[in-house]
Amino acid sequence: GENVEQHPSTLSVQEGDSAVIKCTYSDSASNYFPWYKQELGKRPQLIIDIRSNVGEKKDQRIAVTLNKTAKHFSLHITETQPEDSAVYFCAAAFNNAGNMLTFGGGTRLMVKP
Amino acid sequence: GAVVSQHPSRVICKSGTSVKIECRSLDFQATTMFWYRQFPKQSLMLMATSNEGSKATYEQGVEKDKFLINHASLTLSTLTVTSAHPEDSSFYICSASPSSGNTIYFGEGSWLTVV
């Protein structure tokens, strides 16, 4: 099955700085890579995603890059704000429908004002 | 937009009893739904794939006789935790996608506490 590794597990940055979270996956058949933000006891909230036929995607302050050869993908948040503080999860899907997810271990991001 | 609803949001049960959690797709049909478990401060782990009209597919290490999954209709999957023990206390969350698309929708999640 798929295995997703996520680093770092905790990340502390100063407000306004950039934050980068990295994930690697094991199954080359994986075709969909979403990133989620989760508050305690709540459902994961999709913040950005990328499919295997794309190398990079950007949405305002958030961007994701995918390197299929190396089997890793990264989340980039620029101009961080205190409200970006949360737990972030990467995930990979390798079934045909692209909806069966294997999650990374999570990163607790703390943005200090 | 499409919504997946989960019930109950919180449940407390006594050790040895069973508890049922429902996952409904409110405005789309889903032939497949997924059940995840999340222990405090940990990641979401896929437990099983719920298949409408057929048996669920369980991930390695998940006891199928303990976590009964029923997907009797295209809009409802249920997870029953049988003979619950304190170590089953966790956040259980389901997901579903419309058959015509691949957007993933999560339920609100269910906190189970076994005392």
Side-chain angles (χ1 to χ4, degrees), chain A residues 32 36 38 40-44 51 89 95 97-101 103-106, chain B residues 4 34 36 38 42-44 46 49 59 91 93 95 97 102 104 106-108 111:
Chain A
Y32 176 60
Y36 293 95
Q38 188 185 31
L40 184 63
K42 304 288 186 182
R43 74 182 96 194
R51 299 196 181 273
F89 291 98
N95 62 328
N99 59 2
M100 186 164 121
L101 298 175
F103 285 84
Chain B
V4 172
F34 299 96
Y36 297 85
Q38 185 177 30
Q42 294 189 24
S43 185
L44 291 86
L46 179 66
T49 303
E59 295 300 302
F91 186 59
I93 190 165
S95 75
S97 301
N102 49 20
I104 300 170
F106 284 94
E108 301 97 327
W111 279 104

Side-chain angles (χ1 to χ4, degrees), chain B residues 28-86:
Chain B
F28 66 91
Q29 294 183 333
T31 56
T32 302
M33 293 184 178
F34 299 96
W35 287 97
Y36 297 85
R37 178 169 56 183
Q38 185 177 30
F39 291 111
K41 296 186 178 181
Q42 294 189 24
S43 185
L44 291 86
M45 298 294 293
L46 179 66
M47 298 176 67
T49 303
S50 175
N51 303 299
E52 188 270 334
S54 64
K55 291 182 179 180
T57 306
Y58 291 82
E59 295 300 302
Q60 191 172 11
V62 178
E63 300 174 58
K64 61 180 174 63
D65 294 329
K66 179 172 181 61
F67 298 99
L68 301 180
I69 291 173
N70 187 299
H71 196 149
S73 77
L74 287 170
T75 59
L76 174 64
S77 174
T78 60
L79 169 68
T80 301
V81 183
T82 63
S83 187
H85 291 283

Side-chain angles (χ1 to χ4, degrees), chain A residues 3 16 25 40 44 48 61 73:
Chain A
N3 182 51
Y25 61 98
L40 184 63
I48 197 167
R61 297 187 297 111
F73 55 114

Side-chain angles (χ1 to χ4, degrees), chain A:
Chain A
E2 175 66 281
N3 182 51
V4 178
E5 299 284 340
Q6 183 172 345
H7 299 280
S9 56
T10 59
L11 178 60
S12 182
V13 299
Q14 204 67 38
E15 181 178 3
D17 288 349
S18 296
V20 179
I21 303 171
K22 299 182 179 182
C23 288
T24 60
Y25 61 98
S26 60
D27 194 329
S28 57
S30 291
N31 51 38
Y32 176 60
F33 306 91
W35 284 89
Y36 293 95
K37 180 180 182 181
Q38 188 185 31
E39 297 178 22
L40 184 63
K42 304 288 186 182
R43 74 182 96 194
Q45 176 190 355
L46 179 69
I47 57 170
I48 197 167
D49 57 6
I50 193 167
R51 299 196 181 273
S52 57
N53 59 347
V54 177
E56 185 174 355
K57 183 177 178 181
K58 189 175 181 180
D59 182 5
Q60 299 183 346
R61 297 187 297 111
I62 297 173
V64 56
T65 58
L66 171 64
N67 184 325
K68 286 172 55 181
T69 303
K71 290 189 280 189
H72 64 70
F73 55 114
S74 301
L75 176 71
H76 304 253
I77 305 175
T78 59
E79 300 173 33
T80 54
Q81 301 166 3
E83 49 265 39
D84 293 329
S85 297
V87 178
Y88 292 82
F89 291 98
C90 64
F94 62 94
N95 62 328
N96 288 338
N99 59 2
M100 186 164 121
L101 298 175
T102 299
F103 285 84
T107 297
R108 177 169 295 279
L109 173 65
M110 293 168 285
V111 180
K112 295 178 287 186

